[in-house]
Amino acid sequence: MTTGGKVRTQALDAPAGAPVHALFGLSNEELSGALGEFGLLPYRIRQLETALYRNRISDLEAITPWPKDLRQKVASAGFRAGLPEIVQTFRSVDGTERYLIAGHDGQTVETVWMPEGDGGEDEDSDSPAPPEAAGGSAKKAWSRATICVSSQIGCAVNCQFCLTARLGIVRNLTAGEIAGQVAAVLKRQSAEPGRDRINLVFMGMGEPFLNYDAFMDAVRLLAGPMEIPESRMTVSTSGIVPGILRFAQEPVRPRLAISLNAPNDAVREGIMPITRKWPMAEVLDAVGQVRLRQRERVTFEYVLLAGVNDAPEHADELVRLVRRAQFPAKVNLIAWNPGPDVPFAMPAPEAVAAFQQRLREEGVAAFVRRPRGRDIYAACGQLKKTVALEPREGVQQWSK
Ligand code: SAH
Ligand code: SF4
């Protein structure tokens, strides 16, 4: 079943015609700077931060610790909360929900909610799911969930098997638009990072390391006032070497996943032209610079494309690559999800199982990512393009 519909809220906002400035997305220092004219003391800024990032308000009127006249003055000056809005929802029979979320100019990005989700780190997670916590969890149908977050509208990288690539790069998302996807989804699901086990994967639309500064600003908001531990976040990159090298220097950073998708440069070049710019050896060298936390492993994502990279020889070559790597790694296998006019074929389930088996027999940790929400269009980053391709009116219906 799928649902569609717009949610619009009446907000205490700037008067008609006044320029609007979104506060969501600004750090503590940036909030102080932006609201400098009001001479707010640090505790007032902290109250605002709590309202924006913990209470996820969509209207300045909801900053209840502030006196009413202060809320009104700030709103009249053109400031608004600026929490991004979910404008369309698609619900899968397996509980997965996909959203189109509007950015500051009304353009939408895709974000996915996967209850009990396996965004890449659940299969071999070290810590078990917490027991049902007091205070609201009892009613929920999930005890943990993964949110798949977009970093750009479209993507410039042009991987041949990816539907997002067909959009080209439309624009970068701001830090507020990246962290705002998470806030909007948490709000919709009444989820609380302090209480619920929420994982984030930056595997939606776009290449995070080609929007590095905004992406890392978003990570700092998420790990800071939004209280999602960095160890519960995973960023996936197609192998942007300068980005990986900067990432290696970050004191606060998600786990790292590399979209490898091939065991050698020749196969990879055919499906990921970016390999010509940054060959696999350079990518792996850069990854070797990242100082991993205790028991942390790098994830190699490997999308299986029938007849392209799914042969037993490819598995054997991948084993050698993992063994040669200067860091601990595991492999996440993903059966390719088809898209309109994308000229690849899904591997047979037996081929996926055989590939995994071959890796495991050689001692390589290998997991198969469960396809989620196939009935509403499976792969992360594929919904928006699909919506753009389909005539639409209110309620969407998808078939495989
Ligand atoms: N741009 C980044 C992050 C977003 S893509 C990256 O490429 O790593 C997230 C993952 O989805 C990548 O591992 C990519 O290989 C995979 N992917 C893209 N299209 C897919 C499809 N049609 N089916 C399955 N996985 C796909
Ligand atoms: Fe961009 Fe990732 Fe898709 Fe490649 S797989 S085109 S990097 S979103």
Side-chain angles (χ1 to χ4, degrees):
M1 203 202 88
T2 59
T3 55
K6 278 179 186 264
V7 186
R8 297 251 169 237
T9 47
Q10 190 61 42
L12 172 54
D13 247 343
V20 288
H21 310 288
L23 294 174
F24 191 98
L26 302 184
S27 65
N28 183 293
E29 296 72 38
E30 289 166 338
L31 289 170
S32 301
L35 301 176
E37 64 189 281
F38 303 100
L40 301 179
L41 291 170
Y43 81 99
R44 288 281 182 224
I45 298 292
R46 280 197 299 277
Q47 289 169 334
L48 174 59
E49 265 194 303
T50 302
L52 289 172
Y53 299 119
R54 212 157 304 161
N55 303 337
R56 303 183 281 268
I57 57 160
S58 35
D59 183 351
L60 298 184
E61 188 50 51
I63 315 173
T64 43
W66 277 15
K68 196 165 179 56
D69 67 319
L70 175 59
R71 290 178 243 160
Q72 265 158 0
K73 266 195 304 197
V74 171
S76 316
F79 293 97
R80 61 188 169 89
L83 182 74
E85 233 182 81
I86 295 177
V87 294
Q88 239 173 333
T89 299
F90 302 78
R91 190 175 302 118
S92 164
V93 285
D94 69 11
T96 301
E97 287 194 356
R98 294 171 181 266
Y99 313 102
L100 292 181
I101 298 185
H104 58 70
D105 57 358
Q107 295 225 43
T108 55
V109 288
E110 180 189 337
T111 311
V112 186
W113 164 263
M114 295 173 278
E116 316 293 338
D118 63 356
E121 286 302 326
D122 287 328
E123 313 93 330
D124 62 341
S125 177
D126 302 325
S127 48
E132 285 292 281
S137 292
K139 281 198 223 88
K140 291 191 323 245
W142 50 272
S143 60
R144 61 195 162 90
T146 299
I147 303 175
C148 178
V149 183
S150 294
S151 55
Q152 298 181 305
I153 303 183
C155 186
V157 179
N158 199 22
C159 303
Q160 301 296 295
F161 51 84
C162 174
L163 207 51
T164 303
R166 303 297 182 87
L167 289 166
I169 177 70
V170 179
R171 71 167 171 85
N172 279 334
L173 295 178
T174 64
E177 288 172 326
I178 297 171
Q181 294 167 59
V182 178
V185 174
L186 292 176
K187 185 165 176 160
R188 177 185 166 88
Q189 298 292 342
S190 305
E192 288 302 334
R195 179 193 69 197
D196 305 317
R197 196 169 123 190
I198 304 294
N199 298 304
L200 303 183
V201 293
F202 298 95
M203 297 184 185
M205 304 177 71
E207 169 49 63
F209 284 2
L210 289 179
N211 183 20
Y212 190 88
D213 291 325
F215 163 68
M216 279 308 302
D217 282 348
V219 165
R220 284 184 280 270
L221 284 176
L222 289 159
M226 291 180 70
E227 297 189 324
I228 299 181
E230 56 187 308
S231 58
R232 296 236 171 109
M233 305 180 199
T234 303
V235 61
S236 174
T237 178
S238 55
I240 308 297
V241 167
I244 299 171
L245 292 173
R246 283 183 73 185
F247 186 77
Q249 305 302 320
E250 296 289 351
V252 174
R253 58 155 183 86
R255 296 168 181 245
L256 181 61
I258 303 291
S259 292
L260 205 61
N261 299 334
N264 61 52
D265 279 337
V267 173
R268 198 170 190 262
E269 267 181 38
I271 53 176
M272 299 181 72
I274 188 110
T275 310
R276 282 196 286 276
K277 186 160 177 128
W278 290 298
M280 286 163 72
E282 278 186 40
V283 173
L284 299 182
D285 277 354
V287 174
Q289 307 286 310
V290 179
R291 230 183 348 222
L292 299 177
R293 294 178 278 259
Q294 236 188 0
R295 282 156 68 200
E296 184 180 359
R297 289 189 284 190
V298 171
T299 302
F300 288 131
E301 292 169 280
Y302 196 104
V303 178
L304 288 161
L305 303 157
V308 175
N309 64 359
D310 67 339
E313 307 84 82
H314 295 131
D316 294 342
E317 206 176 348
L318 184 57
V319 167
R320 293 195 289 277
L321 182 148
V322 172
R323 285 197 184 134
R324 273 198 319 271
Q326 302 296 308
F327 47 83
K330 62 169 184 146
V331 176
N332 266 2
L333 300 171
I334 313 156
W336 178 70
N337 287 299
D341 303 325
V342 191
F344 290 97
M346 284 173 78
E350 305 78 58
V352 176
F355 201 96
Q356 179 189 25
Q357 178 73 5
R358 211 156 171 116
L359 297 177
R360 288 198 155 174
E361 275 167 9
E362 296 300 325
V364 171
F367 305 89
V368 177
R369 248 207 283 152
R370 211 153 40 102
R372 299 293 305 247
R374 273 249 162 101
D375 54 330
I376 51 165
Y377 228 85
C380 268
Q382 309 255 307
L383 174 64
K384 183 185 163 79
K385 178 65 179 168
T386 316
V387 167
L389 290 171
E390 296 277 332
R392 66 183 161 94
E393 245 174 64
V395 175
Q396 262 69 61
Q397 299 276 289
W398 301 106
S399 52
K400 277 185 215 178

